[in-house]
Amino acid sequence: MSRKLYTSKYPIFAVAVDLVVLTIRDGVFSVLLVRRGGDTHAGEWALPGGFVGEQEDLIEAAYRELEEETGVGGERVHLEQLATYGHPDRDPRQRVVSVAHVAVGSGMTEDLVGGSDAVDARWWSVGEALAADLAFDHHEILRDGVERARSRIEYTDLALSFCEERFTLPELQRVYEAIWGRELDTRNFVRKVTRTRDFVRETGEEQRGGRGRPAKVYVAGGATSLVPPMTRD
Amino acid sequence: MSRKLYTSKYPIFAVAVDLVVLTIRDGVFSVLLVRRGGDTHAGEWALPGGFVGEQEDLIEAAYRELEEETGVGGERVHLEQLATYGHPDRDPRQRVVSVAHVAVGSGMTEDLVGGSDAVDARWWSVGEALAADLAFDHHEILRDGVERARSRIEYTDLALSFCEERFTLPELQRVYEAIWGRELDTRNFVRKVTRTRDFVRETGEEQRGGRGRPAKVYVAGGATSLVPPMTRD
DNA sequence: AAAATAGTGTCTCTGAGACATTATTGA
DNA sequence: TCAATAATGTCTCAGAGACACTATTTT
Protein backbone atom coordinates (compact mmCIF):
# COMPACT_ATOMS: atom_id res chain seq x y z
CA MET A 1 0.00 0.00 0.00
CA SER A 2 1.45 3.35 -0.97
CA ARG A 3 1.18 6.65 0.80
CA LYS A 4 -1.38 9.18 -0.30
CA LEU A 5 -1.60 12.91 0.17
CA TYR A 6 -4.43 14.40 2.19
CA THR A 7 -5.43 17.80 3.43
CA SER A 8 -7.15 18.47 6.72
CA LYS A 9 -7.85 21.41 8.97
CA TYR A 10 -7.18 19.19 11.97
CA PRO A 11 -4.55 16.73 13.03
CA ILE A 12 -5.04 13.49 11.20
CA PHE A 13 -5.20 9.96 12.48
CA ALA A 14 -5.53 6.51 11.08
CA VAL A 15 -8.39 4.66 12.73
CA ALA A 16 -8.13 0.93 13.31
CA VAL A 17 -10.45 -1.66 14.73
CA ASP A 18 -8.94 -4.38 16.87
CA LEU A 19 -10.84 -7.46 17.88
CA VAL A 20 -10.89 -9.50 21.05
CA VAL A 21 -12.40 -12.65 19.55
CA LEU A 22 -13.58 -14.95 22.30
CA THR A 23 -14.94 -18.45 22.19
CA ILE A 24 -14.97 -21.69 24.14
CA ARG A 25 -12.83 -24.41 22.58
CA ASP A 26 -13.02 -27.85 24.17
CA GLY A 27 -14.17 -26.24 27.38
CA VAL A 28 -11.36 -23.68 27.39
CA PHE A 29 -12.00 -19.93 27.29
CA SER A 30 -10.00 -18.91 24.24
CA VAL A 31 -8.96 -15.87 22.26
CA LEU A 32 -7.77 -15.51 18.70
CA LEU A 33 -4.32 -14.02 18.16
CA VAL A 34 -2.44 -13.46 14.93
CA ARG A 35 1.27 -13.37 14.32
CA ARG A 36 2.13 -10.16 12.60
CA GLY A 37 3.84 -10.06 9.24
CA GLY A 38 4.76 -6.87 7.47
CA ASP A 39 6.96 -4.33 9.09
CA THR A 40 5.73 -3.24 12.48
CA HIS A 41 6.04 -5.60 15.42
CA ALA A 42 6.70 -8.33 12.85
CA GLY A 43 6.66 -11.79 14.33
CA GLU A 44 4.87 -10.70 17.47
CA TRP A 45 1.44 -11.94 18.48
CA ALA A 46 -1.35 -9.41 18.35
CA LEU A 47 -5.09 -9.06 18.29
CA PRO A 48 -6.58 -9.31 14.82
CA GLY A 49 -7.62 -6.00 13.36
CA GLY A 50 -7.08 -3.52 10.61
CA PHE A 51 -7.77 -0.05 9.39
CA VAL A 52 -11.19 1.43 8.89
CA GLY A 53 -12.04 2.29 5.30
CA GLU A 54 -12.86 5.70 3.89
CA GLN A 55 -16.61 5.19 3.93
CA GLU A 56 -16.89 2.43 6.48
CA ASP A 57 -18.70 2.53 9.78
CA LEU A 58 -16.72 1.30 12.78
CA ILE A 59 -18.87 -1.75 13.42
CA GLU A 60 -18.81 -2.65 9.73
CA ALA A 61 -15.05 -2.54 9.74
CA ALA A 62 -15.05 -4.81 12.76
CA TYR A 63 -17.34 -7.32 11.03
CA ARG A 64 -15.19 -7.19 7.92
CA GLU A 65 -11.99 -7.81 9.84
CA LEU A 66 -13.63 -10.61 11.79
CA GLU A 67 -14.68 -12.32 8.61
CA GLU A 68 -11.28 -11.81 7.03
CA GLU A 69 -9.51 -13.33 10.01
CA THR A 70 -11.85 -16.12 10.96
CA GLY A 71 -13.96 -16.71 7.87
CA VAL A 72 -17.00 -16.31 10.05
CA GLY A 73 -19.89 -14.11 9.01
CA GLY A 74 -21.96 -12.00 11.31
CA GLU A 75 -24.98 -14.26 11.73
CA ARG A 76 -24.06 -16.15 14.83
CA VAL A 77 -21.42 -13.77 16.18
CA HIS A 78 -22.03 -11.12 18.80
CA LEU A 79 -19.94 -8.01 18.25
CA GLU A 80 -19.85 -4.98 20.50
CA GLN A 81 -17.61 -1.99 20.88
CA LEU A 82 -15.25 -2.21 23.83
CA ALA A 83 -13.25 1.01 24.15
CA THR A 84 -10.90 3.21 22.20
CA TYR A 85 -7.16 3.34 22.69
CA GLY A 86 -5.33 6.35 21.45
CA HIS A 87 -2.08 6.94 23.28
CA PRO A 88 0.17 9.06 21.02
CA ASP A 89 2.97 6.50 21.03
CA ARG A 90 0.93 3.34 20.73
CA ASP A 91 1.86 2.80 17.08
CA PRO A 92 5.32 3.77 15.82
CA ARG A 93 4.23 4.22 12.22
CA GLN A 94 1.86 7.12 12.58
CA ARG A 95 -0.81 8.35 14.92
CA VAL A 96 -3.33 5.53 15.17
CA VAL A 97 -6.46 5.35 17.26
CA SER A 98 -7.83 1.86 17.76
CA VAL A 99 -11.49 1.24 18.41
CA ALA A 100 -11.45 -2.15 20.08
CA HIS A 101 -14.37 -4.55 19.85
CA VAL A 102 -15.28 -7.78 21.54
CA ALA A 103 -16.50 -10.62 19.34
CA VAL A 104 -18.11 -13.68 20.83
CA GLY A 105 -19.13 -16.76 18.96
CA SER A 106 -19.09 -20.50 18.65
CA GLY A 107 -18.02 -22.74 15.84
CA MET A 108 -15.30 -20.37 14.73
CA THR A 109 -12.63 -22.82 15.62
CA GLU A 110 -12.36 -24.44 12.20
CA ASP A 111 -11.80 -22.18 9.26
CA LEU A 112 -9.04 -19.80 10.26
CA VAL A 113 -7.58 -17.80 7.43
CA GLY A 114 -4.53 -15.60 7.66
CA GLY A 115 -5.54 -11.99 7.12
CA SER A 116 -3.73 -9.43 5.08
CA ASP A 117 -1.24 -8.46 7.75
CA ALA A 118 -1.19 -11.80 9.51
CA VAL A 119 1.18 -14.57 8.64
CA ASP A 120 -0.35 -16.92 11.16
CA ALA A 121 -3.44 -17.15 13.33
CA ARG A 122 -4.05 -19.35 16.32
CA TRP A 123 -6.40 -19.81 19.25
CA TRP A 124 -4.86 -19.26 22.65
CA SER A 125 -6.29 -20.00 26.02
CA VAL A 126 -7.15 -16.67 27.59
CA GLY A 127 -4.84 -17.43 30.50
CA GLU A 128 -1.85 -17.99 28.23
CA ALA A 129 -2.67 -14.98 26.11
CA LEU A 130 -2.89 -12.74 29.15
CA ALA A 131 0.53 -13.97 30.25
CA ALA A 132 2.12 -13.42 26.85
CA ASP A 133 3.80 -10.33 25.46
CA LEU A 134 1.61 -8.86 22.76
CA ALA A 135 2.27 -6.18 20.17
CA PHE A 136 1.29 -2.55 20.72
CA ASP A 137 -1.00 -2.06 23.71
CA HIS A 138 -2.89 -5.23 22.95
CA HIS A 139 -2.29 -6.70 26.37
CA GLU A 140 -4.35 -3.89 27.86
CA ILE A 141 -7.08 -4.27 25.25
CA LEU A 142 -7.20 -8.02 25.82
CA ARG A 143 -7.44 -7.56 29.56
CA ASP A 144 -10.30 -5.09 29.17
CA GLY A 145 -12.09 -7.32 26.66
CA VAL A 146 -11.86 -10.37 28.89
CA GLU A 147 -13.15 -8.40 31.84
CA ARG A 148 -15.98 -7.11 29.69
CA ALA A 149 -17.04 -10.65 28.83
CA ARG A 150 -16.71 -11.81 32.41
CA SER A 151 -18.97 -9.07 33.65
CA ARG A 152 -21.45 -9.11 30.76
CA ILE A 153 -22.38 -12.75 31.27
CA GLU A 154 -23.51 -11.86 34.77
CA TYR A 155 -26.51 -9.85 33.71
CA THR A 156 -26.96 -10.17 29.94
CA ASP A 157 -27.51 -13.00 27.49
CA LEU A 158 -23.89 -12.86 26.31
CA ALA A 159 -23.20 -16.39 27.54
CA LEU A 160 -25.67 -17.67 24.96
CA SER A 161 -23.45 -16.26 22.20
CA PHE A 162 -20.75 -18.71 23.28
CA CYS A 163 -23.18 -21.58 22.58
CA GLU A 164 -24.45 -23.05 19.36
CA GLU A 165 -27.98 -22.11 18.41
CA ARG A 166 -29.24 -25.24 20.15
CA PHE A 167 -27.59 -26.03 23.44
CA THR A 168 -28.07 -27.85 26.70
CA LEU A 169 -27.99 -26.40 30.19
CA PRO A 170 -24.86 -28.35 31.12
CA GLU A 171 -23.17 -26.81 28.08
CA LEU A 172 -24.27 -23.35 29.16
CA GLN A 173 -23.03 -23.99 32.66
CA ARG A 174 -19.64 -25.00 31.28
CA VAL A 175 -19.51 -21.67 29.43
CA TYR A 176 -19.84 -19.80 32.69
CA GLU A 177 -17.35 -22.05 34.39
CA ALA A 178 -14.77 -21.68 31.63
CA ILE A 179 -15.07 -17.90 31.55
CA TRP A 180 -15.06 -17.38 35.29
CA GLY A 181 -12.63 -20.17 36.03
CA ARG A 182 -14.71 -21.57 38.84
CA GLU A 183 -17.33 -24.25 39.27
CA LEU A 184 -20.97 -23.45 39.77
CA ASP A 185 -23.56 -25.45 41.63
CA THR A 186 -25.79 -27.09 39.05
CA ARG A 187 -29.03 -26.77 40.99
CA ASN A 188 -28.53 -23.09 41.73
CA PHE A 189 -27.45 -22.51 38.14
CA VAL A 190 -30.52 -24.11 36.64
CA ARG A 191 -32.77 -22.25 39.05
CA LYS A 192 -31.38 -18.94 37.86
CA VAL A 193 -31.38 -19.43 34.11
CA THR A 194 -34.90 -20.80 34.21
CA ARG A 195 -36.21 -18.11 36.55
CA THR A 196 -35.79 -15.27 34.01
CA ARG A 197 -38.76 -15.52 31.69
CA ASP A 198 -37.79 -16.13 28.06
CA PHE A 199 -34.10 -16.44 28.75
CA VAL A 200 -33.91 -20.04 27.52
CA ARG A 201 -36.69 -22.07 25.91
CA GLU A 202 -37.01 -25.84 25.92
CA THR A 203 -37.31 -27.39 22.49
CA GLY A 204 -38.60 -30.76 23.58
CA GLU A 205 -35.63 -32.46 21.95
CA GLU A 206 -32.92 -34.37 23.70
CA GLN A 207 -29.26 -34.52 22.93
CA ARG A 208 -28.28 -38.17 22.65
CA GLY A 209 -24.88 -39.60 21.85
CA GLY A 210 -23.10 -38.77 25.08
CA ARG A 211 -22.24 -41.39 27.60
CA GLY A 212 -24.89 -40.62 30.21
CA ARG A 213 -28.47 -39.48 30.46
CA PRO A 214 -29.49 -37.32 27.49
CA ALA A 215 -29.72 -33.59 28.13
CA LYS A 216 -32.68 -31.47 27.13
CA VAL A 217 -32.04 -29.13 24.23
CA TYR A 218 -32.77 -25.43 24.60
CA VAL A 219 -32.69 -22.35 22.39
CA ALA A 220 -32.32 -18.71 23.35
CA GLY A 221 -35.66 -17.34 24.45
CA GLY A 222 -35.15 -13.75 23.37
CA ALA A 223 -34.62 -12.11 26.75
CA THR A 224 -31.49 -10.00 26.64
CA SER A 225 -30.98 -9.50 30.34
CA LEU A 226 -30.74 -11.98 33.16
CA VAL A 227 -32.60 -10.89 36.27
CA PRO A 228 -31.63 -11.50 38.92
CA PRO A 229 -28.07 -11.75 37.57
CA MET A 230 -25.77 -14.70 37.79
CA THR A 231 -23.21 -14.07 40.51
CA ARG A 232 -19.56 -14.82 40.13
CA ASP A 233 -18.06 -14.35 43.59
CA MET B 1 -7.29 27.38 11.20
CA SER B 2 -5.89 26.60 7.75
CA ARG B 3 -5.57 23.29 6.03
CA LYS B 4 -2.38 21.34 6.15
CA LEU B 5 -0.95 18.63 3.95
CA TYR B 6 -0.44 15.17 5.34
CA THR B 7 0.63 11.81 4.01
CA SER B 8 -0.73 8.50 5.20
CA LYS B 9 -0.80 4.92 4.04
CA TYR B 10 -4.32 4.58 5.38
CA PRO B 11 -7.56 6.53 5.20
CA ILE B 12 -7.33 9.55 7.43
CA PHE B 13 -9.69 10.79 10.07
CA ALA B 14 -9.95 13.71 12.38
CA VAL B 15 -10.46 12.54 15.95
CA ALA B 16 -12.62 14.56 18.30
CA VAL B 17 -13.57 14.24 21.91
CA ASP B 18 -17.10 15.14 22.88
CA LEU B 19 -18.17 15.58 26.47
CA VAL B 20 -21.35 14.73 28.30
CA VAL B 21 -20.79 17.03 31.27
CA LEU B 22 -23.20 16.13 34.05
CA THR B 23 -23.91 17.80 37.35
CA ILE B 24 -26.73 18.51 39.77
CA ARG B 25 -27.87 22.13 39.77
CA ASP B 26 -30.41 23.12 42.40
CA GLY B 27 -31.49 19.51 42.64
CA VAL B 28 -31.85 19.10 38.88
CA PHE B 29 -29.83 16.58 36.89
CA SER B 30 -28.20 18.81 34.30
CA VAL B 31 -25.99 18.69 31.24
CA LEU B 32 -23.83 21.33 29.63
CA LEU B 33 -24.61 22.22 26.01
CA VAL B 34 -22.98 24.81 23.81
CA ARG B 35 -24.44 26.71 20.93
CA ARG B 36 -22.26 26.25 17.91
CA GLY B 37 -20.67 29.12 16.11
CA GLY B 38 -18.45 28.72 13.08
CA ASP B 39 -19.70 27.01 9.98
CA THR B 40 -21.08 23.59 10.66
CA HIS B 41 -24.42 23.21 12.42
CA ALA B 42 -24.06 26.87 13.36
CA GLY B 43 -26.61 28.04 15.90
CA GLU B 44 -27.52 24.49 16.95
CA TRP B 45 -26.98 23.17 20.43
CA ALA B 46 -24.33 20.51 20.82
CA LEU B 47 -22.18 18.74 23.34
CA PRO B 48 -18.94 20.56 24.11
CA GLY B 49 -15.90 19.03 22.48
CA GLY B 50 -13.09 19.54 20.08
CA PHE B 51 -10.34 17.92 18.12
CA VAL B 52 -7.55 15.87 19.59
CA GLY B 53 -4.08 17.34 19.15
CA GLU B 54 -1.17 15.80 17.31
CA GLN B 55 0.54 14.51 20.41
CA GLU B 56 -2.35 14.41 22.80
CA ASP B 57 -3.80 11.41 24.54
CA LEU B 58 -7.58 11.03 24.33
CA ILE B 59 -8.23 11.58 28.00
CA GLU B 60 -5.92 14.60 28.02
CA ALA B 61 -7.86 16.12 25.17
CA ALA B 62 -11.05 15.53 27.10
CA TYR B 63 -9.65 17.26 30.19
CA ARG B 64 -8.42 20.17 28.09
CA GLU B 65 -11.79 20.64 26.41
CA LEU B 66 -13.56 20.37 29.72
CA GLU B 67 -11.41 23.08 31.19
CA GLU B 68 -11.81 25.25 28.11
CA GLU B 69 -15.59 25.00 28.24
CA THR B 70 -16.26 25.08 31.95
CA GLY B 71 -13.13 26.58 33.44
CA VAL B 72 -12.97 23.59 35.73
CA GLY B 73 -9.75 21.70 36.25
CA GLY B 74 -9.48 18.00 36.74
CA GLU B 75 -9.18 17.87 40.51
CA ARG B 76 -12.75 17.39 41.51
CA VAL B 77 -14.09 16.12 38.20
CA HIS B 78 -14.57 12.49 37.27
CA LEU B 79 -13.91 11.82 33.61
CA GLU B 80 -14.32 8.50 31.86
CA GLN B 81 -14.49 7.33 28.30
CA LEU B 82 -18.00 6.51 27.12
CA ALA B 83 -17.89 5.17 23.57
CA THR B 84 -16.75 6.10 20.09
CA TYR B 85 -19.03 7.29 17.33
CA GLY B 86 -17.79 7.02 13.79
CA HIS B 87 -20.58 6.83 11.27
CA PRO B 88 -19.18 7.97 7.90
CA ASP B 89 -21.75 10.75 7.53
CA ARG B 90 -21.81 12.04 11.07
CA ASP B 91 -19.84 15.17 10.22
CA PRO B 92 -20.29 16.87 6.86
CA ARG B 93 -16.86 18.53 6.89
CA GLN B 94 -14.65 15.51 6.77
CA ARG B 95 -14.45 12.05 8.23
CA VAL B 96 -14.53 12.54 11.99
CA VAL B 97 -14.51 9.93 14.71
CA SER B 98 -15.65 11.16 18.09
CA VAL B 99 -14.48 9.57 21.29
CA ALA B 100 -17.18 10.58 23.73
CA HIS B 101 -16.52 10.99 27.43
CA VAL B 102 -18.68 11.48 30.48
CA ALA B 103 -17.64 14.17 32.93
CA VAL B 104 -19.20 14.39 36.35
CA GLY B 105 -18.61 17.12 38.87
CA SER B 106 -20.01 19.65 41.25
CA GLY B 107 -19.48 23.36 41.54
CA MET B 108 -19.05 23.77 37.81
CA THR B 109 -22.14 25.85 37.58
CA GLU B 110 -20.46 29.23 37.93
CA ASP B 111 -17.61 29.94 35.63
CA LEU B 112 -18.82 28.99 32.16
CA VAL B 113 -16.64 30.24 29.36
CA GLY B 114 -17.48 30.00 25.70
CA GLY B 115 -15.03 27.69 23.97
CA SER B 116 -13.36 28.21 20.65
CA ASP B 117 -16.26 26.93 18.54
CA ALA B 118 -18.95 27.91 20.99
CA VAL B 119 -20.74 31.20 20.97
CA ASP B 120 -22.80 30.33 24.01
CA ALA B 121 -22.87 27.73 26.73
CA ARG B 122 -25.68 26.86 29.08
CA TRP B 123 -26.81 24.22 31.52
CA TRP B 124 -29.87 22.26 30.49
CA SER B 125 -31.92 19.88 32.54
CA VAL B 126 -31.21 16.42 31.20
CA GLY B 127 -34.85 15.93 30.40
CA GLU B 128 -35.02 19.04 28.24
CA ALA B 129 -31.73 18.24 26.55
CA LEU B 130 -32.90 14.74 25.69
CA ALA B 131 -36.02 16.22 24.13
CA ALA B 132 -34.12 18.81 22.10
CA ASP B 133 -32.66 18.51 18.63
CA LEU B 134 -28.90 18.50 18.90
CA ALA B 135 -26.19 18.84 16.28
CA PHE B 136 -24.51 15.82 14.68
CA ASP B 137 -25.31 12.56 16.48
CA HIS B 138 -25.12 14.23 19.84
CA HIS B 139 -28.57 13.12 20.86
CA GLU B 140 -27.40 9.52 20.74
CA ILE B 141 -24.22 10.34 22.64
CA LEU B 142 -26.16 12.22 25.29
CA ARG B 143 -28.60 9.35 25.69
CA ASP B 144 -25.75 6.88 26.12
CA GLY B 145 -23.92 9.15 28.55
CA VAL B 146 -26.99 9.67 30.71
CA GLU B 147 -27.66 5.95 30.78
CA ARG B 148 -24.01 5.37 31.73
CA ALA B 149 -24.35 7.69 34.71
CA ARG B 150 -27.66 6.17 35.74
CA SER B 151 -26.22 2.69 35.79
CA ARG B 152 -22.81 3.60 37.23
CA ILE B 153 -24.26 5.12 40.39
CA GLU B 154 -25.86 1.77 41.14
CA TYR B 155 -22.64 -0.03 41.89
CA THR B 156 -19.78 2.47 41.88
CA ASP B 157 -18.90 5.62 43.80
CA LEU B 158 -19.86 7.83 40.88
CA ALA B 159 -22.65 9.50 42.86
CA LEU B 160 -20.00 10.96 45.16
CA SER B 161 -18.53 12.85 42.20
CA PHE B 162 -21.77 14.79 41.95
CA CYS B 163 -21.23 16.01 45.53
CA GLU B 164 -18.82 18.52 46.98
CA GLU B 165 -15.88 17.09 48.84
CA ARG B 166 -17.86 17.35 52.08
CA PHE B 167 -21.47 16.35 51.85
CA THR B 168 -24.41 15.11 53.87
CA LEU B 169 -26.39 11.95 53.37
CA PRO B 170 -29.56 13.86 52.47
CA GLU B 171 -27.53 15.62 49.76
CA LEU B 172 -26.26 12.30 48.46
CA GLN B 173 -29.77 10.90 48.46
CA ARG B 174 -30.97 13.87 46.41
CA VAL B 175 -28.23 13.08 43.88
CA TYR B 176 -29.65 9.61 43.36
CA GLU B 177 -33.18 10.94 43.24
CA ALA B 178 -32.34 13.62 40.68
CA ILE B 179 -30.51 11.20 38.41
CA TRP B 180 -33.04 8.41 38.60
CA GLY B 181 -36.05 10.66 38.74
CA ARG B 182 -37.63 8.82 41.60
CA GLU B 183 -37.72 9.08 45.36
CA LEU B 184 -35.84 6.72 47.60
CA ASP B 185 -36.71 5.64 51.10
CA THR B 186 -34.34 7.42 53.46
CA ARG B 187 -33.96 4.57 55.93
CA ASN B 188 -33.18 2.01 53.25
CA PHE B 189 -30.85 4.48 51.55
CA VAL B 190 -28.83 5.18 54.66
CA ARG B 191 -28.63 1.48 55.44
CA LYS B 192 -27.07 0.81 52.07
CA VAL B 193 -24.52 3.59 51.86
CA THR B 194 -23.34 2.88 55.38
CA ARG B 195 -23.22 -0.88 54.90
CA THR B 196 -20.36 -0.79 52.36
CA ARG B 197 -17.19 -0.38 54.38
CA ASP B 198 -15.29 2.84 53.55
CA PHE B 199 -17.87 4.14 51.13
CA VAL B 200 -18.59 7.24 53.17
CA ARG B 201 -16.84 8.42 56.33
CA GLU B 202 -18.29 10.62 59.06
CA THR B 203 -16.26 13.74 59.80
CA GLY B 204 -17.85 14.57 63.13
CA GLU B 205 -18.90 17.95 61.80
CA GLU B 206 -22.44 19.14 61.31
CA GLN B 207 -23.85 21.29 58.58
CA ARG B 208 -25.72 24.16 60.18
CA GLY B 209 -27.53 26.97 58.42
CA GLY B 210 -30.50 25.09 57.09
CA ARG B 211 -33.91 25.44 58.57
CA GLY B 212 -34.13 22.12 60.38
CA ARG B 213 -31.94 19.73 62.30
CA PRO B 214 -28.29 19.93 61.22
CA ALA B 215 -27.05 17.08 59.05
CA LYS B 216 -23.85 15.16 59.72
CA VAL B 217 -21.06 15.88 57.29
CA TYR B 218 -19.36 13.02 55.45
CA VAL B 219 -16.45 12.61 53.06
CA ALA B 220 -15.78 9.88 50.53
CA GLY B 221 -14.26 6.87 52.25
CA GLY B 222 -12.19 5.59 49.36
CA ALA B 223 -14.25 2.55 48.37
CA THR B 224 -14.90 2.64 44.65
CA SER B 225 -17.67 0.09 44.49
CA LEU B 226 -20.93 -0.16 46.35
CA VAL B 227 -21.78 -3.67 47.44
CA PRO B 228 -24.50 -4.62 47.51
CA PRO B 229 -25.47 -2.08 44.87
CA MET B 230 -28.11 0.58 45.14
CA THR B 231 -31.17 -0.54 43.19
CA ARG B 232 -33.13 1.74 40.95
CA ASP B 233 -36.30 -0.18 40.04
C1' DA C 1 -44.52 26.82 69.55
C1' DA C 2 -44.53 25.77 64.99
C1' DA C 3 -42.27 24.44 60.82
C1' DA C 4 -38.62 22.29 58.66
C1' DT C 5 -35.34 18.85 58.15
C1' DA C 6 -32.36 14.85 59.90
C1' DG C 7 -32.02 10.59 61.94
C1' DT C 8 -33.34 5.96 63.24
C1' DG C 9 -35.48 0.15 63.66
C1' DT C 10 -38.44 -3.77 62.44
C1' DC C 11 -40.89 -7.00 59.79
C1' DT C 12 -41.76 -9.72 55.77
C1' DC C 13 -40.56 -11.76 51.70
C1' DT C 14 -37.44 -12.86 48.01
C1' DG C 15 -33.33 -14.72 46.46
C1' DA C 16 -28.40 -16.73 47.36
C1' DG C 17 -25.77 -20.41 48.67
C1' DA C 18 -25.00 -24.94 50.52
C1' DC C 19 -26.12 -29.56 50.05
C1' DA C 20 -27.22 -35.40 47.87
C1' DT C 21 -29.99 -38.34 45.46
C1' DT C 22 -32.53 -40.24 41.60
C1' DA C 23 -33.04 -40.92 36.47
C1' DT C 24 -31.46 -42.29 32.07
C1' DT C 25 -28.44 -43.58 28.89
C1' DG C 26 -24.18 -46.12 26.48
C1' DA C 27 -20.61 -49.35 27.07
C1' DT D 1 -24.49 -53.96 35.78
C1' DC D 2 -21.58 -50.42 35.80
C1' DA D 3 -20.01 -45.89 34.62
C1' DA D 4 -21.19 -41.58 33.11
C1' DT D 5 -23.95 -37.68 32.93
C1' DA D 6 -28.45 -35.03 33.62
C1' DA D 7 -32.08 -33.61 36.44
C1' DT D 8 -34.21 -32.19 40.61
C1' DG D 9 -35.83 -29.78 46.03
C1' DT D 10 -35.05 -27.91 50.68
C1' DC D 11 -33.20 -25.27 54.26
C1' DT D 12 -30.91 -21.29 56.15
C1' DC D 13 -29.36 -16.82 55.99
C1' DA D 14 -28.74 -12.16 53.91
C1' DG D 15 -30.61 -8.33 51.91
C1' DA D 16 -34.67 -5.57 49.72
C1' DG D 17 -38.59 -3.03 50.36
C1' DA D 18 -42.32 -1.20 53.02
C1' DC D 19 -43.37 1.39 56.82
C1' DA D 20 -43.69 6.08 61.10
C1' DC D 21 -41.89 8.32 64.68
C1' DT D 22 -38.44 11.03 67.37
C1' DA D 23 -34.67 14.62 67.51
C1' DT D 24 -32.81 19.04 66.58
C1' DT D 25 -32.69 23.19 64.69
C1' DT D 26 -34.45 28.05 62.83
C1' DT D 27 -38.00 31.38 62.73
Side-chain angles (χ1 to χ4, degrees):
Chain A
M1 194 184 297
S2 63
R3 286 187 167 266
K4 287 184 187 172
L5 273 174
Y6 297 91
T7 64
S8 171
K9 289 173 75 173
Y10 310 102
I12 61 155
F13 296 71
V15 176
V17 288
D18 285 315
L19 296 173
V20 180
V21 186
L22 299 172
T23 196
I24 310 283
R25 292 180 69 234
D26 303 322
V28 178
F29 187 30
S30 302
V31 60
L32 181 65
L33 298 180
V34 298
R35 181 134 51 180
R36 292 185 59 82
D39 44 0
T40 314
H41 288 271
E44 291 185 55
W45 290 93
L47 298 172
F51 290 92
V52 179
E54 293 271 7
Q55 290 300 323
E56 208 176 22
D57 200 357
L58 300 174
I59 194 78
E60 286 171 20
Y63 273 114
R64 175 179 53 74
E65 289 290 340
L66 178 64
E67 185 153 10
E68 287 177 13
E69 304 281 358
T70 68
V72 171
E75 329 78 44
R76 288 282 307 150
V77 177
H78 170 88
L79 190 53
E80 67 178 46
Q81 190 182 304
L82 172 62
T84 298
Y85 301 80
H87 191 277
D89 306 321
R90 64 179 296 282
D91 191 314
R93 294 168 288 186
Q94 69 183 83
R95 189 71 198 273
V96 177
V97 163
S98 169
V99 183
H101 291 72
V102 173
V104 169
S106 63
M108 302 185 295
T109 69
E110 308 307 328
D111 34 9
L112 286 182
V113 298
S116 48
D117 268 349
V119 296
D120 194 8
R122 171 164 101 68
W123 291 100
W124 293 54
S125 85
V126 165
E128 288 171 347
L130 284 172
D133 279 328
L134 303 184
F136 306 110
D137 51 4
H138 287 188
H139 178 83
E140 183 186 1
I141 300 176
L142 174 61
R143 179 170 43 71
D144 294 348
V146 168
E147 175 53 30
R148 170 72 65 96
R150 285 186 169 141
S151 63
R152 278 274 196 271
I153 62 174
E154 287 185 73
Y155 53 92
T156 75
D157 61 340
L158 181 62
L160 300 178
S161 295
F162 284 93
C163 296
E164 304 288 338
E165 189 169 358
R166 305 187 319 123
F167 58 89
T168 67
L169 295 193
E171 282 167 2
L172 183 59
Q173 183 178 344
R174 284 191 286 270
V175 166
Y176 278 92
E177 292 176 336
I179 294 175
W180 285 342
R182 79 178 195 91
E183 297 195 343
L184 301 178
D185 179 89
T186 303
R187 287 160 295 185
N188 296 341
F189 178 81
V190 171
R191 184 215 295 154
K192 299 194 73 155
V193 296
T194 51
R195 165 114 66 233
T196 299
R197 188 54 70 196
D198 293 326
F199 188 71
V200 296
R201 187 167 56 238
E202 245 180 274
T203 62
E205 303 168 54
E206 287 184 337
Q207 186 174 84
R208 298 190 124 71
R211 268 195 297 285
R213 175 173 173 175
K216 294 180 189 172
V217 173
Y218 291 77
V219 293
T224 56
S225 61
L226 184 55
V227 282
M230 196 74 58
T231 44
R232 54 165 153 166
D233 325 12
Chain B
M1 193 184 295
S2 62
R3 287 186 167 266
K4 287 185 187 172
L5 273 176
Y6 297 92
T7 64
S8 173
K9 292 173 72 171
Y10 310 101
I12 60 157
F13 296 70
V15 176
V17 288
D18 285 313
L19 296 173
V20 180
V21 186
L22 299 172
T23 196
I24 310 283
R25 293 179 69 235
D26 302 323
V28 178
F29 186 31
S30 303
V31 61
L32 181 65
L33 298 181
V34 299
R35 182 137 50 181
R36 292 184 60 81
D39 45 0
T40 315
H41 287 270
E44 291 185 55
W45 290 93
L47 298 172
F51 290 92
V52 179
E54 294 271 7
Q55 291 299 322
E56 207 175 23
D57 200 357
L58 300 174
I59 194 78
E60 286 173 17
Y63 273 113
R64 175 179 52 74
E65 290 290 341
L66 177 65
E67 186 153 10
E68 287 176 13
E69 305 281 359
T70 67
V72 172
E75 330 76 47
R76 289 283 305 153
V77 178
H78 170 88
L79 191 54
E80 67 178 47
Q81 190 183 303
L82 172 62
T84 297
Y85 300 81
H87 192 277
D89 306 321
R90 64 179 296 281
D91 192 314
R93 293 168 290 187
Q94 67 183 88
R95 189 71 198 272
V96 177
V97 163
S98 170
V99 184
H101 291 71
V102 173
V104 170
S106 63
M108 302 185 295
T109 70
E110 310 307 328
D111 33 6
L112 286 181
V113 299
S116 47
D117 269 349
V119 295
D120 194 9
R122 171 165 101 67
W123 291 100
W124 293 54
S125 85
V126 165
E128 287 170 348
L130 284 172
D133 279 329
L134 302 183
F136 306 111
D137 50 5
H138 287 189
H139 178 82
E140 182 186 2
I141 300 176
L142 173 62
R143 179 173 40 73
D144 294 348
V146 167
E147 175 52 30
R148 170 73 63 97
R150 286 188 168 139
S151 64
R152 278 275 197 269
I153 62 174
E154 286 186 73
Y155 53 91
T156 74
D157 62 340
L158 181 62
L160 300 177
S161 296
F162 284 94
C163 297
E164 303 289 337
E165 188 168 0
R166 307 188 319 124
F167 57 90
T168 68
L169 294 193
E171 283 167 3
L172 183 58
Q173 183 178 344
R174 284 191 287 269
V175 167
Y176 279 92
E177 291 176 335
I179 294 175
W180 284 342
R182 78 178 196 92
E183 297 195 344
L184 300 178
D185 180 90
T186 304
R187 286 162 293 187
N188 295 341
F189 178 81
V190 171
R191 185 214 296 154
K192 298 194 73 154
V193 296
T194 50
R195 164 113 68 233
T196 299
R197 188 54 71 196
D198 293 326
F199 189 69
V200 295
R201 188 167 55 239
E202 245 180 277
T203 62
E205 302 168 55
E206 288 184 338
Q207 186 175 86
R208 298 189 123 71
R211 270 196 296 285
R213 174 174 173 174
K216 295 181 189 171
V217 173
Y218 291 78
V219 292
T224 56
S225 60
L226 184 54
V227 282
M230 195 74 59
T231 43
R232 56 166 152 166
D233 316 18

